[in-house]
Amino acid sequence: MAADAQGFPVTRPPAGVARSARGARDLAVLDARVSGCRACLRLVAWREEVARVKRASFRDEDYWGRPVPGLGPADARIAVVGLAPAAHGGNRTGRVFTGDRSGDWIFAALWRAGLASQPTSTHVGDGLELTGVRVAAAVRCAPPDNAPTPAERDTCSPWLARELALLPDLRVAVVLGGFGWTALWPVLAGAGYVLPRPRPAFGHGVEVTVSGPRGELTLLGSYHVSQQNTFTGRLTEPMLDAVLARATELAGTGGAHEGESGPPRP
């Protein structure tokens, strides 16, 4: 497998994504392969253009400008699945949900739930560590207008499928937004989970349990931590905290920080 200038294995056609993902023996190998993916030409062009032009406030920074891998340990019992990296967030910092307002929300909530070592995520090397949770995106490249196409979603899905497969203790998936909810169903079907028919519609607080080769997996829906939801009050901190409290209850992990807002862990 050829490598790019930074040493990441390069994957180009969609069929190559499936082969490369299946062959990743652990999360470290998977993360490296994700970082070298060039399968979606529109997304490659956009993410690299953003990294060249930059936002004025970040003009002195070196942008990551490539796909963004997941974050969190292999023994995670909870997965949090978002939509895609932000152009000047994960596409800049190289870490999922890091360096933008959405990240401010999700990592503060994970900290309150006892799943993160600190409530902020600003840059790689800032000391953030996750416990019991793995955070990833359905699409790994920043898309124009925050809107991946269905074809891009499907091309990227083997990365998510393999990532979930490499979490042997996984019991709960918190899905942020309708796009991630739609993206996750074919991934679970391919992994051998028995899915309900009709498939449950997305909604905040929706809870669905499916059975598969490694036992039961519970999906919890939450509105996405995008600014259009958090600024308008459609998603509030107590709403997000309640979903994560339910996730830690089901997974038997976490533990809310005392004195912080949000419900205590049952």
Side-chain angles (χ1 to χ4, degrees), residues 7-8 26 28 61 87-89 121-122 130 134 150 152 156-157 176 179 182 190 207 213 222 232 235 237 241 257-258:
F8 295 111
D26 56 36
E61 295 189 22
H88 303 282
S121 179
T122 58
L130 300 182
R134 175 86 176 177
E152 290 162 350
C156 211
S157 67
L176 304 176
F179 185 94
T182 300
E207 181 174 327
S222 171
T232 62
L235 178 66
E237 287 185 356
D241 288 343
H257 289 273
E258 293 183 2

Side-chain angles (χ1 to χ4, degrees), residues 253-264:
T253 189
H257 289 273
E258 293 183 2
E260 296 299 322
S261 61

Side-chain angles (χ1 to χ4, degrees), residues 33-34 42 47 57 59 82 126 134 168 177-178 181 196 229 231 245 252:
R33 293 184 178 184
V34 166
R42 186 183 80 113
R47 79 192 191 207
S57 55
R59 62 181 176 274
D126 61 7
R134 175 86 176 177
W181 188 261
N229 288 333
F231 278 14

Side-chain angles (χ1 to χ4, degrees), residues 119-251:
T120 58
S121 179
T122 58
H123 61 278
V124 173
D126 61 7
L128 174 69
E129 294 183 3
L130 300 182
T131 302
V133 64
R134 175 86 176 177
V135 181
V139 172
R140 305 308 171 103
C141 293
D145 301 319
N146 293 319
T149 67
E152 290 162 350
R153 175 199 66 204
D154 294 345
T155 296
C156 211
S157 67
W159 299 128
L160 180 61
R162 186 57 180 159
E163 189 159 13
L164 298 182
L166 290 171
L167 303 177
D169 299 325
L170 184 65
R171 296 295 177 268
V172 182
V174 176
V175 187
L176 304 176
F179 185 94
W181 188 261
T182 300
L184 193 55
W185 290 109
V187 167
L188 295 178
Y193 283 88
V194 179
L195 306 183
R197 295 192 179 189
R199 293 180 185 175
F202 171 77
H204 186 86
V206 169
E207 181 174 327
V208 181
T209 300
V210 296
S211 298
R214 293 186 299 187
E216 291 188 340
L217 176 69
T218 300
L219 280 60
L220 299 176
S222 171
Y223 292 140
H224 200 280
V225 288
S226 62
Q227 291 186 53
Q228 67 185 32
N229 288 333
T230 59
F231 278 14
T232 62
R234 188 182 192 212
L235 178 66
T236 65
E237 287 185 356
M239 290 169 64
L240 184 56
D241 288 343
V243 171
L244 290 176
R246 178 60 175 157
T248 60
E249 176 188 9
L250 291 166

